[in-house]
Amino acid sequence: MLGMCRGRRKFLAASLALLFIPALTWLYLSVGGFQVKPLPLSPLEAQSSAPVGGAGERQALELRVRAVEEENRALRRELSRPPRSPSARLPNSGHRGNQSRTHSEEGTGDNEGQKAAAVGNSSDCVQQPVVDKCETIHVAIVCAGYNASRDVVTLVKSVLFHRRNPLHFHFITDSIAQQILSSLFHTWMVPAVRVDFYDADELKSEVSWIPNKHYSGIYGLMKLVLTKTLLSDLQRVIVLDTDITFATDIAELWAVFHKFKGQQVLGLVENQSDWYLGNLWKNHRPWPALGRGFNTGVILLLLDRLRKLRWEQMWRLTAERELMSMLSTSLADQDIFNAVIKQNPFLVHQLPCFWNVQLSDHTRSEKCYKDVSDLKVIHWNSPKKLRVKNKHVEFFRNLYLTFLEYDGNLLRRELFGCPSEADHNSENLQKTLSELDEDDPCYEFRRERFTVHRTHLYFLHYEYEPSSDNTDVTLVAQLSMDRLQMLEAICKHWEGPISLALYLSDAEAQQFLRYAQGSEVLMSRGNVGYHIVYKEGQFYPVNLLRNVAMRQVNTPYMFLSDIDFLPMYGLYEYLRKSVVQLDMANTKKALVVPAFETLRYRLSYPKSKAELLSQLDMGTLFTFRYHVWTKGHAPTNFAKWRTATTPYRVQWEADFEPYVMVRRDSPEYDRRFVGFGWNKVAHIMELDAQEYEFVVLPNAYMIHMPHAPSFDITKFRSNKQYRVCLKTLKEEFQQNMSRRYGFAALKYMTAENNS
């Protein structure tokens, strides 16, 4: 093929020479005054030159020669034009052997078609159009609910991994998905990525009149209204299902827009199942389609042309007509797209099959991928997803798992040389970090305070119905992978809502997902919010995790606990009653739940205060940290608690760190404290500075369960610099307290000096 292309180019060059030499000859003769027979002029040129005589003829001839020269130069430029982006590949490059080319691969856009015609209209030799280095690629995705929000992250990772261009994602979401994805992209902070959201609830009326049997529900019809929904000045967009995985740069797919010709406005891959051929089972009657029909998991939409064609009216009339006999759709938007295409086949530019390799149980995708050497898009278009019956499913599954467990932090790479819209959050962060002294021995501690951790809220489905009496309480805690086994026990002890922040890597998040989905206890609880904070840096960001969990509390009150504590049976209801008894709504109180501990992994959990006191006397239980950190809970006054029958107030003392229930609007934890040490102490000090009363509940308790020491406490005990930095941070925190609370904060300085 390469030799053929060179041969054709030599032929074209020779043709240019034959055109060019006579032109120069005519110019020479006319300028020299020789009498020669003039070239025939066009009627327009003849009219304009007629009255001038010999001089007019010579001028007309010169104009003709210059026109020929300009055409020759244009042809030479076209032949020698280098690719616009050295990194961009042809959509069909790298395929050898049995790959077949369809007529749709040969097409070109209007401008490119004119250029191709000028050099012989050979798409084998003409450099295919590529995407400019900094051209923004637009991607639209319909995403609704908790599970879809989790699934779409894998698609986004696969796109980001391969991409070399700025991206603009357009998400059509419900309120749940918008909250999750907005937080995720805000904390992901990927350069040259913009995200816009469109309210799916506002679009429901546009498609709710269409009966739909597909598992995607009403959201499966919303791709039909993208011309009306997306920005009015957006000309083209790639539309993707959430169950897509990219194996190549999405710019290659974007470049296919240049191949559209005539009235083509939709780019689609042929359906790889026999669905639209009918006869899959008795009385199977699919919607009308052109041949095998087209799959709408990947669509190229020329929005500006679709609007001019009055797409909204076109699909509505088609749907109304077909529903008279079909009664409902089986494949949601795909049925209606295909019915429109059946009536208007000129609308479609057929994409090669590798742009949408469909892996549902009944597809013939093997027919596609056995003939190509490079698959570009994998589509898990089955309700069973990774459990499809494709004989090569393990290969495709491994490709998917690569991105599922890929560290998303590695995708925060710059696109050098491309101007981007200023991200004020990113700029402010860089400015703040640049002001830190890297020679400071506590630099890493200080840096952690400003690290933005990628956060995926509501990783699993969540359901909560607010109570009408405004007394509801959410248990708040944080954990890492090594405390996962505590979740089931806590769920058995606390029946109310729970907000958990989990500090995990991408791979650990998938392990947690499998663990949770395999647990009957966890799956039976819809009122537990699991919020993934992805690992980054060398410290455990304990207070950031607590703050993430606190921000997702949607009850009036929250019980601030730790994951290695089991609350007593019935504590949830007891705290709700205490809200009323102690007038929590109108006073600033922190209700203290006394903390105990056991050294036994198997404990007969006390079902009453009397039973707990008995175990305390027998040495089965102890007051929490009595042997290593007495000051932490001494102000609780356990001696008084033994006989107390009514709540009693205690005073703040240095290093006090009880577990408390407070109103949802109480202050957050200070992020400067990471790992082990002073993270709760500083928070309780803040509550005291804001004049919260500490009230101990006489019939409440919680028990710390034994576990191996954390990595951070080991570092604290073994690393002198760690302890030095913690002391420095404590002093700086106290100075900040003095500035914020004035004279009242002096007691914290003196108490610390005396302790």
Side-chain angles (χ1 to χ4, degrees):
M1 179 61 72
L2 184 59
M4 290 174 64
C5 288
R6 287 175 177 168
R8 292 181 188 177
R9 289 182 178 177
K10 288 180 180 178
F11 173 78
L12 289 167
S15 301
L16 289 175
L18 290 173
L19 287 169
F20 194 62
I21 292 171
L24 287 177
T25 303
W26 279 111
L27 179 61
Y28 174 78
L29 291 176
S30 62
V31 173
F34 284 88
Q35 297 298 316
V36 295
K37 185 177 180 180
L39 289 172
L41 305 178
S42 67
L44 183 61
E45 290 170 325
Q47 290 175 15
S48 62
S49 62
V52 184
E57 292 178 358
R58 188 162 55 247
Q59 185 179 3
L61 181 60
E62 290 174 4
L63 290 172
R64 286 293 305 277
V65 170
R66 280 197 292 273
V68 171
E69 287 179 322
E70 184 57 35
E71 289 178 12
N72 291 340
R73 279 195 293 271
L75 287 170
R76 286 200 301 275
R77 281 197 302 269
E78 186 60 35
L79 285 173
S80 62
R81 187 187 299 275
R84 277 178 282 176
S85 172
S87 65
R89 297 189 290 127
L90 302 182
N92 60 337
S93 65
H95 303 308
R96 298 179 178 85
N98 296 328
Q99 181 185 348
S100 60
R101 292 173 57 84
T102 66
H103 70 279
S104 64
E105 294 179 73
E106 303 285 340
T108 57
D110 295 339
N111 295 333
E112 298 298 331
Q114 293 170 9
K115 295 173 184 176
V119 292
N121 199 26
S122 171
S123 61
D124 289 328
C125 298
V126 176
Q127 176 66 51
Q128 295 286 344
V130 293
V131 179
D132 288 336
K133 177 183 177 182
C134 296
E135 182 177 350
T136 298
I137 295 171
H138 293 267
V139 181
I141 303 170
V142 179
C143 181
Y146 300 98
N147 294 336
S149 303
R150 187 175 64 245
D151 295 339
V152 79
V153 176
T154 310
L155 160 60
V156 171
K157 280 186 184 179
S158 70
V159 172
L160 291 176
F161 180 83
H162 297 286
R163 66 104 178 214
R164 296 294 183 271
N165 286 73
L167 294 170
H168 188 164
F169 288 101
H170 303 264
F171 285 105
I172 296 84
T173 61
D174 61 356
S175 58
I176 294 167
Q178 178 169 348
Q179 179 189 7
I180 295 169
L181 295 177
S182 177
S183 170
L184 177 65
F185 279 98
H186 177 73
T187 54
W188 204 338
M189 298 180 71
V190 184
V193 170
R194 178 180 167 185
V195 179
D196 279 334
F197 294 96
Y198 306 80
D199 189 353
D201 290 335
E202 294 181 359
L203 304 176
K204 286 182 177 179
S205 60
E206 303 280 344
V207 293
S208 58
W209 57 274
I210 304 173
N212 178 29
K213 295 179 180 178
H214 194 255
Y215 61 83
S216 60
I218 193 170
Y219 299 100
L221 296 162
M222 289 189 175
K223 282 183 273 186
L224 293 165
V225 296
L226 291 181
T227 53
K228 188 175 181 180
T229 305
L230 299 179
L231 302 172
S232 59
D233 60 347
L234 184 58
Q235 296 183 348
R236 59 188 65 181
V237 68
I238 297 172
V239 186
L240 302 173
D241 281 354
T242 57
D243 50 4
I244 293 287
T245 306
F246 266 77
T248 193
D249 190 346
I250 196 171
E252 295 182 32
L253 182 56
W254 187 257
V256 177
F257 275 116
H258 293 292
K259 298 181 179 181
F260 281 35
K261 58 184 178 180
Q263 291 183 285
Q264 292 176 345
V265 290
L266 303 169
L268 292 162
V269 171
E270 186 180 54
N271 209 39
Q272 291 163 16
S273 78
D274 292 339
W275 178 270
Y276 287 110
L277 299 181
N279 301 320
L280 287 182
W281 55 79
K282 187 178 180 181
N283 299 326
H284 173 226
R285 193 163 71 95
W287 276 55
L290 195 64
R292 305 184 68 85
F294 295 92
N295 185 277
T296 55
V298 177
I299 316 175
L300 300 187
L301 286 185
L302 268 181
L303 295 170
D304 52 346
R305 291 193 194 173
L306 277 166
R307 293 179 183 118
K308 290 176 182 176
L309 289 172
R310 301 175 71 183
W311 167 253
E312 286 282 324
Q313 182 177 349
M314 188 182 297
W315 74 258
R316 283 176 183 275
L317 290 173
T318 302
E320 289 170 359
R321 182 181 66 247
E322 297 301 332
L323 284 169
M324 292 177 69
S325 59
M326 297 303 299
L327 303 182
S328 67
T329 64
S330 295
L331 300 182
D333 65 89
Q334 186 166 298
D335 283 339
I336 297 174
F337 269 100
N338 275 289
V340 172
I341 292 167
K342 173 78 171 179
Q343 296 294 320
N344 309 278
F346 57 85
L347 296 177
V348 179
H349 177 91
Q350 184 172 337
L351 302 175
C353 66
F354 50 66
W355 283 119
N356 184 354
V357 179
Q358 300 147 40
L359 294 178
S360 64
D361 285 331
H362 305 293
T363 59
R364 295 185 178 181
S365 52
E366 292 176 42
K367 184 172 171 52
C368 167
Y369 58 76
K370 76 177 183 181
D371 291 334
V372 299
S373 60
D374 188 15
L375 302 181
K376 298 182 181 296
V377 172
I378 310 302
H379 184 189
W380 300 92
N381 60 322
S382 164
K384 296 191 300 183
K385 301 306 178 191
L386 303 189
R387 302 189 305 278
V388 293
K389 298 175 182 176
N390 183 293
K391 68 180 181 181
H392 301 112
V393 69
E394 279 304 309
F395 169 79
F396 296 114
R397 186 172 175 273
N398 289 335
L399 176 67
Y400 173 81
L401 291 176
T402 298
F403 296 111
L404 189 70
E405 302 186 354
Y406 188 82
D407 185 351
N409 298 327
L410 300 178
L411 298 169
R412 290 169 167 165
R413 62 174 186 268
E414 296 282 350
L415 295 183
F416 294 104
C418 292
S420 60
E421 298 179 10
D423 184 335
H424 297 297
N425 292 325
S426 180
E427 286 183 354
N428 292 338
L429 175 61
Q430 293 305 319
K431 183 176 183 295
T432 301
L433 293 177
S434 67
E435 292 172 353
L436 298 179
D437 180 7
E438 294 189 27
D439 294 327
D440 181 351
C442 301
Y443 170 77
E444 292 299 334
F445 283 84
R446 300 188 192 284
R447 179 185 174 87
E448 175 57 41
R449 181 181 181 183
F450 304 106
T451 299
V452 178
H453 289 264
R454 184 167 40 105
T455 303
H456 188 135
L457 303 176
Y458 299 102
F459 198 67
L460 296 178
H461 186 78
Y462 178 75
E463 289 182 13
Y464 166 74
E465 289 293 332
S467 63
S468 58
D469 59 3
N470 291 321
T471 64
D472 215 349
V473 186
T474 299
L475 186 150
V476 172
Q478 41 71 39
L479 68 152
S480 54
M481 198 68 181
D482 57 342
R483 300 287 187 267
L484 209 58
Q485 72 279 2
M486 290 294 299
L487 291 181
E488 288 191 349
I490 287 178
C491 284
K492 291 176 181 177
H493 280 249
W494 179 275
E495 61 270 29
I498 302 174
S499 182
L500 298 173
L502 298 88
Y503 192 56
L504 306 172
S505 67
D506 290 76
E508 286 173 341
Q510 296 308 312
Q511 293 177 42
F512 159 69
L513 178 62
R514 291 191 289 271
Y515 169 79
Q517 291 177 335
S519 166
E520 291 184 11
V521 173
L522 300 188
M523 285 297 96
S524 67
R525 291 288 297 272
N527 63 349
V528 181
Y530 301 96
H531 315 296
I532 308 296
V533 177
Y534 287 100
K535 286 184 175 180
E536 187 172 359
Q538 59 175 301
F539 296 106
Y540 184 78
V542 58
N543 279 356
L544 166 69
L545 296 172
R546 288 179 171 133
N547 291 342
V548 167
M550 284 171 62
R551 288 169 195 156
Q552 301 313 311
V553 168
N554 44 23
T555 58
Y557 303 94
M558 51 190 182
F559 173 43
L560 306 178
S561 183
D562 272 336
I563 200 66
D564 44 11
F565 276 87
L566 287 182
M568 73 175 199
Y569 292 108
L571 181 61
Y572 170 62
E573 289 299 335
Y574 180 45
L575 290 178
R576 293 185 65 174
K577 291 177 182 177
S578 299
V579 165
V580 178
Q581 292 173 356
L582 297 172
D583 193 22
M584 289 284 287
N586 301 307
T587 57
K588 294 175 72 173
K589 289 188 177 74
L591 305 189
V592 176
V593 177
F596 300 86
E597 69 176 332
T598 180
L599 303 180
R600 301 184 179 186
Y601 284 88
R602 289 181 176 272
L603 172 72
S604 175
Y605 199 94
K607 294 181 174 57
S608 65
K609 179 177 179 178
E611 193 174 330
L612 179 137
L613 291 174
S614 175
Q615 293 187 12
L616 197 63
D617 293 337
M618 289 189 299
T620 305
L621 291 178
F622 308 91
T623 56
F624 185 53
R625 291 288 184 263
Y626 80 100
H627 58 302
V628 292
W629 186 244
T630 309
K631 294 190 297 182
H633 294 265
T636 302
N637 195 343
F638 289 100
K640 183 173 183 177
W641 182 83
R642 291 181 69 102
T643 58
T645 57
T646 58
Y648 60 92
R649 183 176 177 182
V650 296
Q651 298 296 319
W652 175 90
E653 295 178 22
D655 299 317
F656 191 30
E657 52 175 5
Y659 293 94
V660 297
M661 184 187 82
V662 290
R663 293 195 311 225
R664 184 175 57 187
D665 61 357
S666 69
E668 292 189 344
Y669 290 81
D670 194 293
R671 277 199 61 186
R672 84 186 75 204
F673 297 106
V674 294
F676 176 80
W678 246 63
N679 45 75
K680 290 193 299 292
V681 172
H683 185 247
I684 295 299
M685 187 181 290
E686 184 94 25
L687 291 177
D688 183 66
Q690 293 192 14
E691 300 182 342
Y692 275 72
E693 293 180 28
F694 295 99
V695 178
V696 181
L697 297 174
N699 294 307
Y701 55 88
M702 58 196 300
I703 300 176
H704 179 266
M705 305 304 291
H707 55 74
S710 68
F711 180 61
D712 290 278
I713 196 171
T714 303
K715 282 198 296 185
F716 172 81
R717 291 170 177 169
S718 62
N719 188 328
K720 180 181 179 181
Q721 187 59 49
Y722 194 112
R723 297 192 295 274
V724 168
C725 288
L726 179 58
K727 186 174 186 298
T728 301
L729 295 175
K730 285 166 55 177
E731 293 170 352
E732 292 175 356
F733 173 77
Q734 289 169 330
Q735 291 168 5
N736 290 346
M737 291 282 287
S738 297
R739 284 192 290 270
R740 290 172 61 193
Y741 299 105
F743 182 78
L746 282 177
K747 68 174 182 178
Y748 306 122
M749 301 287 286
T750 55
E752 176 64 22
N753 292 333
N754 294 331
S755 64

